[in-house]
């Protein structure tokens, strides 16, 4: 599943091709992704000049005059820039041709992605964006904030980190990696976190996410960069997906447990 770094990498990759460009044509070959697509979406976005591309949580928001196109990659979605003469690939469901002669294509084999337009900013009006916690890379996500948010909570810290009302964009992979880096067990009860734990955790989360963004995103095997190359951050994982492999620090076996139905990986010796 694309996580925050992949989404940010996608935005960084597509932005130079889209900004200040006008959408000439939009072609859609499915009726439904996660939800049914708006019937007039193609008509609405044609002739719009793109002036902004931003991210909130894992949503990509492409905006122009009085128009916002929101895209979520879902489980298997990717956006890539193609040349006008490049043939469509299987699962290319949505594309927009720009006056710069390139095409932005949305590919999504499992169709859990979302694409919708709105005339007002979805950040202010769409229910998907209400009640979202701060961005993990923003100043609002601080040790003091996390300490306050974790107090009186009886849930495992890993679940708390993956709760978008607390903080957005931290998925299974980066939660596991950040907890290892902070030497905190993923199943530690949130309210038992010390101020020092929160400081370490916030620092680790920012470090892990920034490093992943810098390396070009990613995580899953089928993740593809906008230029068609596969992401390679997966090779750097310290605990994620490394069940029974030796811990990089102490050589103990990495353990796998389920927390809130999600696989979690940790080192019993290094993480307390
Ligand atoms: Zn260890």
């Amino acid at each position: 599943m694309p996580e925050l770094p992949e989404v940010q990498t996608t935005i960084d990759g597509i932005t130079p091709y889209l900004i200040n460009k006008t959408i000439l044509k939009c072609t859609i070959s499915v009726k439904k992704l996660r939800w049914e697509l708006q019937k007039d979406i193609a008509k609405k976005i044609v002739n719009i000049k793109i002036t902004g591309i931003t991210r909130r949580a894992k949503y990509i928001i492409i905006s122009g005059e009085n128009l916002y196109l929101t895209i979520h990659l879902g489980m298997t979605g990717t956006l890539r820039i193609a040349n006008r003469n490049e043939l469509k690939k299987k699962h290319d469901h949505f594309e927009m041709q720009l006056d710069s002669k390139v095409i932005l294509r949305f590919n999504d084999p499992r169709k859990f992605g979302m694409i919708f337009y709105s005339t007002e900013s979805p950040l202010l009006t769409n229910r998907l964006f209400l009640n979202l916690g701060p961005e993990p890379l923003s100043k609002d996500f601080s040790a003091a904030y996390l300490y306050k948010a974790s107090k009186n909570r009886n849930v495992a810290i890993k679940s708390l980190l993956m709760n978008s009302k607390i903080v957005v964009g931290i998925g299974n992979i980066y939660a596991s990696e950040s907890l290892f880096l902070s030497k905190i067990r993923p199943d530690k009860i949130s309210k038992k976190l010390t101020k020092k734990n929160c400081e370490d955790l916030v620092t680790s989360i920012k470090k892990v996410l920034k490093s992943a963004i810098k390396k070009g995103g990613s995580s899953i095997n089928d993740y593809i960069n906008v230029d068609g190359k596969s992401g390679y951050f997966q090779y750097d994982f310290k605990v994620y997906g490394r069940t029974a492999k030796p811990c990089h620090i102490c050589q103990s076996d990495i353990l796998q447990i389920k927390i809130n139905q999600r696989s979690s990986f940790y080192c019993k010796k290094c993480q307390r």
Side-chain angles (χ1 to χ4, degrees), residues 72 103 112 120 163 170 174 180 208-209 221 240 250 267:
H72 193 287
I103 303 172
F112 280 112
E120 282 177 282
N163 178 348
I170 304 179
Y174 298 106
F180 176 76
V208 165
L209 291 175
N221 299 327
Y240 185 83
C250 75
C267 172

Side-chain angles (χ1 to χ4, degrees), residues 92-109:
D92 277 349
H93 303 308
F94 178 98
E95 65 171 46
M96 48 196 219
Q97 229 181 82
L98 299 146
D99 62 353
S100 54
K101 295 179 184 163
V102 299
I103 303 172
L104 178 74
R105 284 193 173 136
F106 178 77
N107 186 288
D108 188 3

Side-chain angles (χ1 to χ4, degrees), residues 134-142 202 206:
E135 287 288 328
L137 293 172
S138 74
K139 279 182 185 150
D140 293 339
F141 184 62
S142 64
V202 167
K206 291 180 195 274

Side-chain angles (χ1 to χ4, degrees), residues 50-72:
I50 298 167
T51 51
I53 302 160
T54 54
R55 179 185 61 72
R56 175 72 171 117
K58 295 201 291 182
Y59 294 91
I60 297 166
I61 304 167
I62 299 173
S63 57
E65 200 183 348
N66 299 322
L67 200 108
Y68 299 82
L69 186 71
T70 304
I71 301 176
H72 193 287

Side-chain angles (χ1 to χ4, degrees), residues 180 239 246-254 266-271:
F180 176 76
V239 288
C247 167
H248 289 307
I249 296 170
C250 75
Q251 314 304 317
S252 302
D253 286 359
I254 297 298
Y266 75 107
C267 172
K268 198 166 79 177
K269 256 190 175 170
C270 295
Q271 293 171 260

